[in-house]
Amino acid sequence: MGAVKETVMQFGEGGFLRGFVDYFFHKLNEKGLYDGKVVVIQPIEKGLIHVLNDQKGQYNLFLRGIENGQVVNERTEIHSISRAINPYEDYAAYLELAHNPDLRVIVSNTTEAGIEYLGTEKITDAPPKSYPAKLTAFLYERFKTGLGGFILLPCELIDNNADQLKKCVLQYAALWQLGDAFVNWIEKENHFCNTLVDRICTGYPADEVETLTKQIGYEDRLIDTAEIFHLWVIQGNFEHELPFNKAGYNIVWTDDVTPYKKRKVRILNGGHTSMVLAARLYGLETVGECMNDQTVSSFLHHCIFDEIIPTLGNTETDIAFGKAVLERFSNPFIKHKLLSIALNSVSKFKVRVLPSLLAYREQFGKNPKCLTLSLAALIAFYKTDEANDLPEVMAFMKQASVAEILAKEEYWDMDLSFLKEEVEAYYQTIQTKGMKEAFACVL
């Protein structure tokens, strides 16, 4: 075996990247379609880097779920990570990577808050605090070597994630006065690709560790679990360098990530948000229970196939995605608690459900019954002690009337008073007769 070729630098060592990106690179290597390993960088001071190095970058990934009606449960021993670096302990080793001519890809998942411009760091900080500042320092080191640039694939769940990252990098280049030649090199030599990632990663399975350790046959402190479904939409096309499609994976190279994002947010996230609060008022605790309950699963089915998908154009692709979502929600291996999905539901409803409700109303000249009921359920849920949101949102929602809540433009970006009659009627049914009766009104 020759020397290890390190071709990918990855910011973040959490369960998502290890259950998604590192799995794909492992498979590319295994299939002989790629020759390269991943170097992991710890983006914040505390992390799992030492454990990763103790285990020489190896860990077990369990992918479990339902695919085409069949239960799938596969274990893969992942070998795609060569080593891990903590820049807070060894900043020199981090910068040294910039001198490696094999390095070509930079991936990251530093949470939605990770891509930010602080403007307080210096290039001499070792390391600078934010991810974009660390990246800028690294890119500048690379620029000085005279080597080529990178394909950057941020996986953070924000709109136009690569555009936002590039914007921050250019702000740091200006702040640190790194010069026009460097800015020119960033623009010409580097490909910042917007992406959309989709796979439910459930991480370290604390409640199943004993069983899974027996199956593995040795102790693994980094066991990772995820659903079998995966989708990675990437702006641009680097299949010739990263042959994911050839390896058989659901990676979409495209000029525009937007329609994929819209489909995912409206159907998957919108499906979740329209169902969970009503289901919680009905007495259920997990998504799995919802799927096994005839009333709630029927309600979700109506939301997705009769009210959300028609506003997207009712294409075969949308319908297939909707069916896959129902399969994913029925995954017996995932215990997804309704109350954890219910966090910050007011802002989630605005982004995930309201656009479908408004589009349906515009297209069909009437309100979609199930999505309208889900808004009434949201208001009723916020009157309970289980709501979990910003303190000022919870305080307002708890004491305000239905009319006041609908008229609150800062929550919905518009006045929703035109929905008052129907929402009020559903709300009264929930409060006086219970959620079961309210479901009966729409099903």
Side-chain angles (χ1 to χ4, degrees):
M1 218 182 98
V4 172
K5 255 175 89 170
E6 293 178 331
T7 56
V8 183
M9 179 166 78
Q10 171 175 307
F11 281 86
E13 75 279 22
F16 177 76
L17 287 176
R18 289 190 293 110
F20 194 76
V21 174
D22 300 332
Y23 169 78
F24 297 136
F25 279 107
H26 172 85
K27 287 295 183 185
L28 286 183
N29 282 321
E30 191 179 63
K31 293 178 184 219
L33 296 171
Y34 189 76
D35 177 21
K37 295 266 182 163
V38 179
V39 189
V40 176
I41 310 298
Q42 187 168 294
I44 52 177
E45 228 163 318
K46 300 266 181 286
L48 295 168
I49 290 296
H50 58 288
V51 186
L52 208 45
N53 281 328
D54 287 348
Q55 297 191 179
K56 298 187 169 52
Q58 294 175 23
Y59 59 93
N60 289 268
L61 173 67
F62 289 85
L63 294 178
R64 309 178 297 180
I66 298 172
E67 198 171 36
N68 306 320
Q70 300 297 310
V71 172
V72 179
N73 187 351
E74 68 171 58
R75 171 174 82 96
T76 308
E77 199 176 70
I78 305 285
H79 295 274
S80 53
I81 295 173
S82 56
R83 62 189 167 124
I85 295 171
N86 181 352
Y88 291 85
E89 289 170 2
D90 193 353
Y91 190 57
Y94 167 63
L95 287 183
E96 185 53 40
L97 275 174
H99 298 255
N100 170 7
D102 294 328
L103 199 66
R104 174 65 173 149
V105 180
I106 298 177
V107 294
S108 63
N109 186 23
T110 56
T111 78
E112 286 86 321
I115 297 182
E116 60 174 352
Y117 173 73
L118 298 175
T120 50
E121 305 105 319
K122 301 182 186 67
I123 193 164
T124 49
D125 292 350
K129 188 178 176 198
S130 71
Y131 163 50
K134 287 185 188 74
L135 179 62
T136 308
F138 183 86
L139 292 173
Y140 188 58
E141 186 74 16
R142 177 72 160 202
F143 164 71
K144 290 188 294 187
T145 66
L147 290 166
F150 302 100
I151 300 165
L152 293 101
L153 305 171
C155 299
E156 288 82 358
L157 285 175
I158 56 171
D159 281 339
N160 308 313
N161 45 19
D163 295 343
Q164 297 295 335
L165 180 58
K166 183 178 181 179
K167 183 180 162 194
C168 292
V169 166
L170 292 172
Q171 283 175 295
Y172 281 111
L175 177 73
W176 296 338
Q177 301 179 340
L178 301 179
D180 293 344
F182 173 57
V183 169
N184 206 20
W185 178 86
I186 290 175
E187 295 282 4
K188 287 204 162 61
E189 286 283 330
N190 297 274
H191 308 278
F192 285 80
C193 307
N194 291 317
T195 73
L196 168 72
V197 295
D198 190 3
R199 167 172 267 172
I200 298 168
C201 286
T202 33
Y204 186 76
D207 53 346
E208 301 177 79
V209 163
E210 281 178 39
T211 319
L212 296 180
T213 301
K214 280 201 186 95
Q215 200 181 323
I216 295 166
Y218 57 88
E219 191 203 11
D220 176 359
R221 291 158 67 199
L222 293 171
I223 298 174
D224 200 6
T225 59
E227 65 172 339
I228 195 86
F229 179 93
H230 67 275
L231 168 68
W232 196 4
V233 183
I234 305 172
Q235 180 191 0
N237 191 342
F238 295 94
E239 176 73 19
H240 58 293
E241 285 187 65
L242 304 170
F244 293 128
N245 293 160
K246 196 172 178 188
Y249 291 98
N250 192 19
I251 313 282
V252 177
W253 302 104
T254 178
D255 292 337
D256 185 9
V257 173
T258 320
Y260 298 91
K261 173 103 197 241
K262 183 177 177 181
R263 178 184 300 135
K264 181 204 172 221
V265 169
R266 297 273 184 100
I267 301 176
L268 185 138
N269 305 109
H272 257 162
T273 300
S274 56
M275 171 183 79
V276 292
L277 305 180
R280 185 65 199 128
L281 292 170
Y282 186 65
L284 305 184
E285 286 186 17
T286 65
V287 172
E289 287 176 14
C290 295
M291 302 311 289
N292 291 326
D293 182 280
Q294 209 180 340
T295 302
V296 179
S297 65
S298 167
F299 175 74
L300 176 66
H301 196 280
H302 275 283
C303 286
I304 291 177
F305 294 97
D306 301 341
E307 299 184 2
I308 296 171
I309 289 178
T311 68
L312 295 172
N314 244 344
T315 65
E316 279 178 33
T317 315
D318 293 332
I319 292 165
F321 187 83
K323 287 178 179 165
V325 162
L326 293 186
E327 242 178 23
R328 294 167 71 187
F329 286 3
S330 306
N331 188 342
F333 298 99
I334 291 180
K335 292 188 175 48
H336 213 159
K337 292 215 177 305
L338 299 182
L339 286 180
S340 69
I341 303 169
L343 177 72
N344 301 336
S345 281
V346 170
S347 60
K348 283 179 180 169
F349 192 93
K350 179 181 82 173
V351 172
R352 301 168 170 194
V353 184
L354 190 56
S356 298
L357 191 158
L358 297 172
Y360 186 97
R361 185 183 156 91
E362 191 175 318
Q363 239 166 296
F364 302 103
K366 58 183 181 183
N367 296 328
K369 287 188 299 192
C370 294
L371 297 183
T372 306
L373 173 59
S374 75
L375 179 54
L378 176 133
I379 294 171
F381 178 80
Y382 271 79
K383 302 292 183 194
T384 72
D385 292 330
E386 288 194 326
N388 189 355
D389 209 315
L390 297 169
E392 60 273 22
V393 173
M394 293 197 294
F396 174 80
M397 293 290 286
K398 198 156 195 174
Q399 56 82 30
S401 67
V402 171
E404 287 166 337
I405 289 169
L406 293 175
K408 186 93 169 157
E409 288 191 33
E410 67 177 280
Y411 286 1
W412 320 113
D413 288 345
M414 64 189 302
D415 183 341
L416 295 179
S417 299
F418 55 84
L419 296 170
K420 181 176 173 287
E421 197 180 326
E422 279 182 52
V423 172
E424 184 83 62
Y426 289 139
Y427 174 80
Q428 290 305 335
T429 304
I430 295 168
Q431 298 297 37
T432 55
K433 299 180 182 167
M435 199 63 224
K436 190 175 183 182
E437 277 298 312
F439 277 138
C441 298
V442 298
L443 296 175

